[in-house]
Amino acid sequence: MSSTPSSTPASPRFARWGCACCTGKAVSYRTSRARVDRKAIRGTWSSKPSLRPSAGGSSGRWSGCAVDSCAVGADRAVASGSDAEAGWSLAGSPCGDRRQPAKGAPDWEPDDHAIGRSRGGPSTKIHLAADGRCRPLAFVLTAGQGGDAPVFTDVMDRLRVPRRRGRPRTRPDMVLADKAYSSREIRNHLRRRGIRAVIPERADQRANRMRRGRAGGRPPAFDRAAYKQRNTVERCINRLKQWRGIATRYEKTATIYLAGLHVAGVFLWSAR
């Protein structure tokens, strides 16, 4: 007499994820992708406090963060898509040259969708900040040909590190960055906010200062020992690019691609 195998009860720990092996109900890719897109348009991934674990622990101390950027290539279909396919329309514009968001597109979507042209083809540049354990803290998307220094203040403005009590911290003790961020505006910005800048001086800046003699002033302070920890942001970029959808951009809108970065950041925070 043959006996039918008993069904395995759903695991309460993983049932909320909708996994087929745990709940017995398979969720299609279109359904799960639509959920991610709706949350991205509402800004859930970037503003929900539960998706931003505390980087300072119970004491609230936050030693510092490292800032850097990386360029990722965009798929040819994404870069060559029309405005209507990307979720934008020109209807309602008197001149026909100003893009208007279509139905369902967020208001903060950039006009160029954070896709630019560079020598390597269409690309997007990811500007991010990472803590001392290679975990992302903030993301900013620009076109691939954009510079690093002009977006530095935007990255710093998006830093929100929750604490057990009080408001979240927005100012780390120090900021580690490479020579691309060595400018007078960035150093003055960090000095006004009481943040110690660990940024090396470029060769041309050193030469100009030496050429002016005493009028050139003193060289900026640079902690060589602390600068060795800047590799944390490079390692964070390498971990993010382990996902194929982040190493190469396949999304036509910057909002959806930014949501993928936040979801990957949640996985990095959960794994450590």
Side-chain angles (χ1 to χ4, degrees), residues 41-220:
I41 294 175
R42 291 195 300 263
T44 304
W45 303 113
S46 58
S47 61
K48 194 172 183 180
S50 61
L51 301 183
R52 293 180 177 182
S54 174
S58 59
S59 61
R61 295 294 302 172
W62 184 19
S63 60
C65 66
V67 180
D68 203 355
S69 66
C70 68
V72 296
D75 190 73
R76 182 179 301 179
V78 176
S80 61
S82 61
D83 294 337
E85 294 175 351
W88 293 79
S89 64
L90 300 178
S93 178
C95 301
D97 56 351
R98 188 173 61 180
R99 300 179 179 180
Q100 301 291 334
K103 181 179 180 180
D107 298 335
W108 58 84
E109 176 71 20
D111 293 340
D112 57 353
H113 307 293
I115 298 179
R117 297 286 178 176
S118 59
R119 291 186 298 177
S123 59
T124 299
K125 181 167 285 189
I126 306 173
H127 307 265
L128 73 157
D131 65 349
R133 299 180 61 180
C134 309
R135 298 173 297 190
L137 298 174
F139 296 104
V140 175
L141 296 181
T142 59
Q145 75 275 7
D148 297 345
V151 198
F152 178 80
T153 56
D154 296 338
V155 177
M156 296 298 297
D157 292 341
R158 298 195 180 189
L159 290 178
R160 295 290 187 277
V161 177
R163 290 183 287 188
R164 294 183 180 274
R165 296 180 180 178
R167 295 176 297 178
R169 289 198 59 179
T170 59
R171 294 184 296 177
D173 295 340
M174 64 177 178
V175 171
L176 312 175
D178 56 7
K179 294 182 179 181
Y181 300 91
S182 179
S183 65
R184 183 176 301 177
E185 290 77 11
I186 291 179
R187 296 183 186 274
N188 293 338
H189 174 75
L190 296 177
R191 188 180 298 109
R192 288 192 302 266
R193 301 187 61 186
I195 303 174
R196 185 162 64 99
V198 184
I199 305 174
E201 188 181 16
R202 296 201 308 264
D204 59 337
Q205 295 177 346
R206 187 182 305 108
N208 294 334
R209 179 174 50 82
M210 298 295 293
R211 179 177 51 84
R212 298 181 59 187
R214 183 177 298 181
R218 295 180 297 179

